[in-house]
C-alpha cells in the first residue's frame, strides 16, 4: 500500500506493508536514523517524534494511519550549524552519556515546553494555572523518556537552560 507523509517539510510517498510502523518507515524507508529504536514497545521514548506537532512514540504508530500527516524528527529541528535551543543546551550541559536516548529526549522536550507554555497541567501540577518548570514538573513531564545511562539531572538542567533561552 501507499501512504503520503510530510516529513521535516518534505513530502514522501512510501510504499509499505500495512503492518509497517512509522518508526521503521522513518529509519529504513526514508533514511532518517536520528529517531532511535529502543524497546519497540512504547516503553522507552527513544523513538519520539512530533506528529502534527504532538509528541508520539513512533514505534506505536502504523504508517498506514498517517496519510497526509506532518512528522518532525530530530533531523528537522536543527542542523549541526544551526542547533535548536534544546540541542545547544544538551551539548552545553552534557545532557547525555551514550546519546542513544537523546533524540527522543530532545523531541519530547520540544513538545513538552510548548505544552507548558500552553498551560497544560501534569499529574504533579498544583493547580490549573500556568505550570512552572520545577524539577518535579520536568521529571513528571519527561517520564516517558528513559535514559539507561541515567543522565536525568543534566537532561533536566539542559531543558531548563533551553526554556530560559526561549523566554
Ligand atoms: Fe518506541 Fe521504545 S522504541 S517507545
Ligand atoms: Fe545513554 Fe540516555 S544517554 S541512554
Amino acid at each position: 500500500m501507499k501512504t503520503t507523509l510530510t516529513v521535516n517539510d518534505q513530502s514522501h510517498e512510501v510504499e509499505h506493508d500495512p503492518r509497517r510502523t512509522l518508526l521503521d518507515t522513518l529509519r529504513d524507508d526514508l533514511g532518517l536514523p536520528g529517531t532511535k529504536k529502543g524497546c519497540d514497545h512504547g516503553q522507552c521514548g527513544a523513538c519520539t517524534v512530533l506528529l502534527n506537532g504532538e509528541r508520539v512514540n513512533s514505534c506505536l504508530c502504523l504508517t498506514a494511519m498517517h496519510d497526509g500527516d506532518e512528522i518532525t524528527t530530530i533531523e528537522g529541528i536543527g542542523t549541526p550549524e544551526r542547533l535548536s535551543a534544546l540541542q545547544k543546551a544538551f551539548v552545553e550541559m552534557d545532557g547525555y552519556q551514550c546519546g542513544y536516548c537523546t533524540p527522543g529526549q530532545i523531541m519530547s522536550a520540544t513538545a513538552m515546553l510548548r505544552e507548558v507554555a500552553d498551560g497544560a497541567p501534569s499529574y504533579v501540577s498544583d493547580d490549573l494555572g500556568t505550570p512552572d518548570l520545577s524539577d518535579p514538573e520536568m521529571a513528571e513531564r519527561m517520564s516517558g523518556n528513559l535514559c539507561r545511562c541515567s543522565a536525568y539531572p543534566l537532561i533536566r538542567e539542559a531543558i531548563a537552560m533551553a526554556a530560559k533561552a526561549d523566554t
Side-chain angles (χ1 to χ4, degrees):
M1 66 180 297
K2 284 185 183 164
T3 299
T4 302
L5 302 169
T6 300
V7 182
N8 302 333
D9 294 327
Q10 285 196 334
S11 182
H12 299 271
E13 189 179 66
V14 281
E15 187 146 11
H16 60 92
D17 184 286
R19 297 163 294 181
R20 195 107 171 117
T21 65
L22 182 58
L23 174 59
D24 287 341
T25 293
L26 292 170
R27 289 179 56 85
D28 300 334
D29 301 333
L30 299 183
L32 293 168
T35 306
K36 301 299 184 225
K37 183 181 282 195
C39 63
D40 211 17
H41 282 83
Q43 294 177 353
C44 72
C47 64
T48 305
V49 298
L50 305 185
L51 175 65
N52 300 325
E54 306 285 334
R55 49 182 169 168
V56 295
N57 290 334
S58 58
C59 70
L60 295 185
C61 300
L62 285 176
T63 299
M65 294 179 71
H66 296 290
D67 193 47
D69 283 347
E70 293 202 14
I71 319 292
T72 308
T73 70
I74 190 73
E75 291 92 344
I77 65 163
T79 64
E81 297 75 32
R82 284 177 65 93
L83 298 175
S84 76
L86 272 163
Q87 288 172 317
K88 223 181 279 172
F90 268 70
V91 172
E92 277 177 37
M93 293 308 302
D94 269 341
Y96 46 75
Q97 287 186 38
C98 75
Y100 197 80
C101 72
T102 309
Q105 302 279 0
I106 291 176
M107 295 313 294
S108 194
T110 299
M112 185 274 277
L113 291 178
R114 251 183 256 148
E115 291 160 16
V116 169
D118 290 346
S122 81
Y123 183 69
V124 299
S125 301
D126 287 337
D127 57 39
L128 297 181
T130 306
D132 62 2
L133 252 195
S134 65
D135 214 47
E137 273 284 355
M138 261 193 285
E140 167 63 21
R141 289 172 186 272
M142 294 298 295
S143 60
N145 290 82
L146 304 185
C147 175
R148 286 185 67 108
C149 305
S150 212
Y152 298 113
L154 292 175
I155 289 171
R156 292 201 292 275
E157 283 189 36
I159 296 171
M161 175 188 268
K164 274 194 205 120
D166 263 5
T167 51

